[in-house]
Amino acid sequence: MEGTLRRRSGKMWMVLICLMLNCFARIESLSVSVNDVECVYEYVLYEGDSISGNFVVVDHEIFWTSDHPGIDFTVTSPGGNIVHSLKGTSGDKFEFKAPGSGMYKFCFHNSYSTPETVSFYIHVGHIPNEHDLAKDEHLDPINVKIAELREALESVTAEQKYLRARDARHRNTNESTRKRVIFYTVGEYLVLAAVSTLQVIYIRQLFSKSVAYNRV
Amino acid sequence: MSESNLILVLTLVFMFGFVNSMRFEIQSGHTKCISEDIKANAMTVGKYSVVNPTEGYPVPDSHKLTVRVSSPYGNNYHTGDHVDSGNFAFTASEAGDYTACFWAPEHKPPTTMTVEFEWKTGVAAKDWSKVAKKGQIEVMEFELKKLYDTVQSIHDEMFYLREREEEMQELNRTTNAKMTTFSFLSIMVCLSVAGLQLWHLKSFFERKKLL
């Protein structure tokens, strides 16, 4: 099943600040299932906007199975070219400048049968430049600085989201390690006790009178 | 995570977004769930609507869906039965993953409907239009206020991450300690089992007058 998430371009709260407030920020975690490709669409308004983001594969099924080999990630521009791609990772950051405006497609591909949950964050950041300043007389140079400041804060937030997702994944691993330690150790004790009891019973049987005369 | 209907769990953590609506597609008979990690006492606002496939006409029955918003403990915060749009707002009493699930009704032939969904929490859920005023300086002040709120939330997030790291360290330490005790215990169990075996067999053979 292909799920596509399409983004509509922004509604602006105020005309005066419209050029400054193009921050599209969200993080989503998709569970990409059996041989599936999950795509997210993001609309980029201006060419040259910086698209940044990160994604982390949050492994849920790690108690019995070994570590998942990772998923593939591709970014396709509206023209159909692959702008960015990562293969077989369990999480990474990315950043690039949009070569053109339009609908960008961010796809995750899981080539293995275990379903995975991917937690990702995509941010399209726009800073008004001199061209925009010339066009709109309401825009002050200070607005450019404020936009830069906002973008910087966005990158801090993005980093925090990445850390949070990685922390969640790390926590999963640790919890599973703890459970495994207890489970396998107690299991080992029980198996040991059972095996030795069986040994004793077997040896006793070898010497029991009903069987004894012919055997030992 | 495998159900007969493919459930895609989308966890959204929105942050300071003026525009955070997203679109996704559901096929008839399938389900899509979106979940968001919300802190305790955080304000959250959500809005959903089915994109009308036929312009100008009312949304057909095949394009209505069932919605349910529930807390991490299963409490229901919002339901919508056979609707094509709606919204919800609440203050999260418990911290955790809140899920919004969408069910598309069965239809032959299977159709795909596009749902537009918007879910804001925390800073983004604050209604900025009330705070904003007209004029150039006020606009700048408004912008800087938003930046200040962003910085506050970054600060809070740092505390959260620090807490989590501490918990993780604690967990690792206890696992380490557990492993030590269990390994030691394992040797003890091994030796004692062997000792018991030997003792039992010795007494058995002595009883049988073989030793």
Side-chain angles (χ1 to χ4, degrees), chain B residues 69-85:
Chain B
V69 179
S70 48
S71 79
Y73 299 104
N75 301 324
N76 202 350
Y77 277 91
H78 173 82
T79 30
D81 235 337
H82 218 61
V83 291
D84 64 305
S85 71

Side-chain angles (χ1 to χ4, degrees), chain B residues 48-52 58-60 63-65 81-86 115:
Chain B
Y48 56 91
S49 66
V50 180
V51 171
N52 197 347
V59 180
H63 284 255
K64 295 209 192 279
L65 37 71
D81 235 337
H82 218 61
V83 291
D84 64 305
S85 71
V115 180

Side-chain angles (χ1 to χ4, degrees), chain A residues 5-6 13 29-30 199, chain B residues 9-10 18-19 23-24 197:
Chain A
L5 304 159
R6 220 175 294 268
W13 289 106
S29 104
L30 288 169
Q199 273 184 330
Chain B
V9 178
L10 300 136
F18 257 43
V19 188
R23 283 192 191 183
F24 57 90
Q197 264 190 327

